[in-house]
Short mmCIF file of all heavy atoms in Angstrom, two decimals:
data_model
loop_
_atom_site.label_atom_id
_atom_site.label_comp_id
_atom_site.label_asym_id
_atom_site.label_seq_id
_atom_site.Cartn_x
_atom_site.Cartn_y
_atom_site.Cartn_z
N LYS I 142 -4.40 -19.15 25.11
CA LYS I 142 -3.52 -17.98 25.09
C LYS I 142 -2.43 -18.16 24.04
O LYS I 142 -2.15 -17.26 23.24
CB LYS I 142 -2.91 -17.77 26.47
CG LYS I 142 -1.78 -16.75 26.54
CD LYS I 142 -2.28 -15.36 26.78
CE LYS I 142 -1.12 -14.42 27.06
NZ LYS I 142 -1.53 -13.06 27.37
N ILE I 147 -6.97 -13.37 23.73
CA ILE I 147 -6.46 -12.19 24.44
C ILE I 147 -6.97 -12.09 25.86
O ILE I 147 -6.43 -11.32 26.67
CB ILE I 147 -6.80 -10.90 23.69
CG1 ILE I 147 -8.33 -10.73 23.58
CG2 ILE I 147 -6.15 -10.86 22.33
CD1 ILE I 147 -8.76 -9.32 23.26
N PHE I 149 -10.14 -14.14 28.88
CA PHE I 149 -10.99 -15.30 29.12
C PHE I 149 -12.21 -14.90 29.94
O PHE I 149 -12.09 -14.31 31.01
CB PHE I 149 -10.20 -16.40 29.84
CG PHE I 149 -8.94 -16.77 29.12
CD1 PHE I 149 -7.73 -16.20 29.47
CD2 PHE I 149 -8.99 -17.63 28.03
CE1 PHE I 149 -6.58 -16.50 28.77
CE2 PHE I 149 -7.85 -17.93 27.31
CZ PHE I 149 -6.64 -17.37 27.68
N TYR I 168 -4.39 -18.73 38.59
CA TYR I 168 -3.78 -19.49 37.50
C TYR I 168 -3.32 -18.58 36.36
O TYR I 168 -2.21 -18.74 35.82
CB TYR I 168 -4.79 -20.52 36.99
CG TYR I 168 -4.38 -21.30 35.76
CD1 TYR I 168 -3.18 -22.02 35.74
CD2 TYR I 168 -5.18 -21.32 34.62
CE1 TYR I 168 -2.81 -22.75 34.61
CE2 TYR I 168 -4.82 -22.04 33.50
CZ TYR I 168 -3.63 -22.74 33.50
OH TYR I 168 -3.26 -23.45 32.39
N THR I 169 -4.14 -17.61 35.98
CA THR I 169 -3.81 -16.78 34.82
C THR I 169 -2.65 -15.82 35.08
O THR I 169 -2.08 -15.28 34.14
CB THR I 169 -5.04 -15.95 34.39
OG1 THR I 169 -5.60 -15.28 35.53
CG2 THR I 169 -6.11 -16.85 33.76
N GLN I 170 -2.26 -15.64 36.32
CA GLN I 170 -1.10 -14.81 36.60
C GLN I 170 0.19 -15.43 36.07
O GLN I 170 1.16 -14.73 35.77
CB GLN I 170 -0.97 -14.58 38.12
CG GLN I 170 -2.07 -13.69 38.68
CD GLN I 170 -1.98 -13.53 40.19
OE1 GLN I 170 -0.97 -13.05 40.72
NE2 GLN I 170 -3.02 -13.94 40.89
N ASP I 171 0.20 -16.77 35.93
CA ASP I 171 1.40 -17.45 35.44
C ASP I 171 1.71 -17.09 33.99
O ASP I 171 2.84 -17.22 33.55
CB ASP I 171 1.23 -18.97 35.56
CG ASP I 171 1.23 -19.45 37.00
OD1 ASP I 171 1.78 -18.72 37.86
OD2 ASP I 171 0.68 -20.53 37.27
N PHE I 172 0.68 -16.67 33.22
CA PHE I 172 0.94 -16.30 31.83
C PHE I 172 0.33 -14.93 31.50
O PHE I 172 0.01 -14.63 30.36
CB PHE I 172 0.45 -17.37 30.85
CG PHE I 172 -0.93 -17.91 31.13
CD1 PHE I 172 -2.05 -17.42 30.48
CD2 PHE I 172 -1.12 -18.94 32.07
CE1 PHE I 172 -3.31 -17.93 30.72
CE2 PHE I 172 -2.39 -19.46 32.32
CZ PHE I 172 -3.48 -18.95 31.65
N ASP I 173 0.18 -14.10 32.53
CA ASP I 173 -0.19 -12.68 32.39
C ASP I 173 -1.46 -12.50 31.55
O ASP I 173 -1.48 -11.73 30.60
CB ASP I 173 0.97 -11.90 31.77
CG ASP I 173 0.77 -10.39 31.90
OD1 ASP I 173 0.16 -9.95 32.89
OD2 ASP I 173 1.23 -9.66 31.00
N ALA I 174 -2.51 -13.21 31.92
CA ALA I 174 -3.76 -13.12 31.18
C ALA I 174 -4.81 -12.36 31.99
O ALA I 174 -4.72 -12.26 33.21
CB ALA I 174 -4.28 -14.52 30.84
N THR I 175 -5.81 -11.87 31.29
CA THR I 175 -6.91 -11.12 31.90
C THR I 175 -8.16 -11.99 31.97
O THR I 175 -8.52 -12.63 30.99
CB THR I 175 -7.22 -9.85 31.09
OG1 THR I 175 -6.06 -9.01 31.08
CG2 THR I 175 -8.39 -9.08 31.70
N VAL I 176 -8.79 -11.99 33.14
CA VAL I 176 -10.07 -12.67 33.31
C VAL I 176 -11.19 -11.64 33.16
O VAL I 176 -11.13 -10.55 33.73
CB VAL I 176 -10.16 -13.35 34.69
CG1 VAL I 176 -11.58 -13.89 34.95
CG2 VAL I 176 -9.14 -14.47 34.81
N GLY I 226 -3.79 -10.52 40.20
CA GLY I 226 -4.18 -10.83 38.84
C GLY I 226 -4.84 -9.65 38.16
O GLY I 226 -4.89 -8.53 38.70
N LYS I 227 -5.35 -9.91 36.94
CA LYS I 227 -6.00 -8.87 36.14
C LYS I 227 -7.47 -9.24 35.92
O LYS I 227 -7.76 -10.35 35.46
CB LYS I 227 -5.31 -8.71 34.79
CG LYS I 227 -3.88 -8.22 34.86
CD LYS I 227 -3.29 -8.12 33.45
CE LYS I 227 -1.86 -7.66 33.48
NZ LYS I 227 -1.27 -7.60 32.11
N GLN I 251 -5.64 -4.30 39.93
CA GLN I 251 -5.58 -4.31 38.46
C GLN I 251 -6.96 -4.67 37.91
O GLN I 251 -7.20 -5.79 37.48
CB GLN I 251 -4.53 -5.30 37.98
CG GLN I 251 -3.10 -4.89 38.29
CD GLN I 251 -2.09 -5.78 37.59
OE1 GLN I 251 -1.75 -5.59 36.43
NE2 GLN I 251 -1.61 -6.78 38.30
N PHE I 355 -6.04 -4.87 26.70
CA PHE I 355 -5.94 -6.27 26.29
C PHE I 355 -4.70 -6.59 25.45
O PHE I 355 -4.29 -7.74 25.39
CB PHE I 355 -7.19 -6.66 25.51
CG PHE I 355 -8.44 -6.64 26.33
CD1 PHE I 355 -9.35 -5.60 26.22
CD2 PHE I 355 -8.71 -7.65 27.24
CE1 PHE I 355 -10.50 -5.57 26.99
CE2 PHE I 355 -9.86 -7.63 28.02
CZ PHE I 355 -10.76 -6.59 27.89
N ASN I 357 -1.86 -4.35 25.53
CA ASN I 357 -0.73 -3.64 26.14
C ASN I 357 0.00 -2.77 25.12
O ASN I 357 1.23 -2.70 25.11
CB ASN I 357 0.25 -4.63 26.79
CG ASN I 357 1.17 -3.94 27.79
OD1 ASN I 357 0.81 -2.93 28.40
ND2 ASN I 357 2.37 -4.47 27.95
#
Side-chain angles (χ1 to χ4, degrees):
K142 169 88 171 183
I147 61 162
F149 306 96
Y168 174 56
T169 51
Q170 291 177 59
D171 291 337
F172 46 97
D173 193 32
T175 299
V176 172
K227 295 179 181 178
Q251 292 190 83
F355 295 103
N357 198 28

